[in-house]
Amino acid sequence: MVTGLLSLLSASAIPLQNDMAGAIFGLIFFGLYALVIVAIIGGMWKTFAKAGEPGWGALVPIYNTYLLLKIAGRPGWWLVLYLIPVINFIIVILVSIDIADNFGKGVGYGIGIAFLPFLFYPLLGFGDATYKGSSTGGF
């Protein structure tokens, strides 16, 4: 009976070790994900402040998109275009390019904002770029 109990305990130790590795991986992944989110929010906050908009707007989900449209110089009704699949992908790229243009940056920087916001928003917000205003009209 003791032998059977020992074999049962040793067999259950293997899944316990795998669970521990999964937990450690999960904590590391969560930490990196949290850093990415903090970088995006911090960069957007500073970008909004540079453009004369409230920085706290970066924390409010739909309002931050509205502010991005405002900074890009696009009309507010474009917010509806973010709800249409495939079209929203194009709109994100166009708005990102307009934001980069309004801060004196090029098209490549705008594409960087669209695809790597955790790098480009902090660079834009904490960097030396200044908001030049909207060149597309919009609001």
Side-chain angles (χ1 to χ4, degrees), residues 4 11 13 22-23 42 50 67-68 78 87-88 107 109 113 118:
K50 279 185 177 184
L67 290 177
L68 287 173
W78 273 36
I87 300 295
N88 60 2
V107 173
Y109 201 94
I113 290 173
F118 58 92

Side-chain angles (χ1 to χ4, degrees), residues 47 50-52 70-73 99 102-103 129-134:
T47 301
K50 279 185 177 184
K70 195 171 178 182
I71 292 169
I99 289 170
N102 290 339
F103 277 94
T130 57
Y131 185 64
K132 297 175 182 4
S134 172

